[in-house]
Amino acid sequence: QVQLVESGGGLVQAGGSLRLSCAASGSIFSILAMGWYRQAPGKQRALVAAVTAGGRTNYADSVKGRFTISRDNAKNTVYLYLQMNSLKPEDTAVYYCTAGPITIFYGHAAPQEGSWGRGTQVTVSS
């Protein structure tokens, strides 16, 4: 079992920046991919960015060139980051950190698979 703790998020004006962080502990050896998904009101949860254990990255088209995902491996913890620049009102959503199967990388993560953080709200005002 992998435990995920998210931090960051908040309210920012359009054009601003935010950085999300996620700390993964527990059975981190089992992690094949980690990622950030987001869910806006009335919409399905969708991939924002993901990274494999080997360092491959994948981004949603809507965030390419604006968001950067990165990860740091410590002894017993893996840290996942999402640097979000040039934020737009349409980026407003609850952002979730997830870790586990490779399906995360391809945007097919299911809520019942892998591990999920509690989510952090990102609100971009116009």
Side-chain angles (χ1 to χ4, degrees), residues 1-121:
Q1 190 77 350
V2 175
Q3 293 79 42
L4 301 173
V5 178
E6 299 147 334
S7 60
L11 173 64
V12 65
Q13 288 188 332
S17 298
L18 283 175
R19 189 190 197 208
L20 304 183
S21 300
C22 175
S25 59
S27 301
I28 58 174
F29 59 87
S30 66
I31 296 174
L32 297 179
M34 296 183 72
W36 293 96
Y37 281 62
R38 67 186 180 187
Q39 186 167 17
K43 295 188 177 181
Q44 290 188 335
R45 194 174 297 187
L47 171 72
V48 177
V51 59
T52 66
R56 290 175 62 200
T57 57
N58 185 24
Y59 293 92
D61 288 342
S62 60
V63 306
K64 284 180 180 177
R66 300 188 298 122
F67 291 11
T68 302
I69 191 170
S70 61
R71 60 182 284 173
D72 280 331
N73 295 328
K75 183 177 181 181
N76 295 312
T77 305
V78 177
Y79 297 94
L80 184 71
Y81 305 101
L82 185 68
Q83 178 66 43
M84 304 185 292
N85 299 328
S86 302
L87 282 161
K88 304 176 181 180
E90 50 263 44
D91 294 319
T92 295
V94 178
Y95 284 68
Y96 297 92
C97 175
T98 183
I102 195 63
T103 47
I104 291 171
F105 180 78
Y106 295 108
H108 303 310
Q112 67 272 22
E113 294 181 338
S115 299
W116 293 83
R118 293 187 175 185
T120 184
Q121 177 69 46

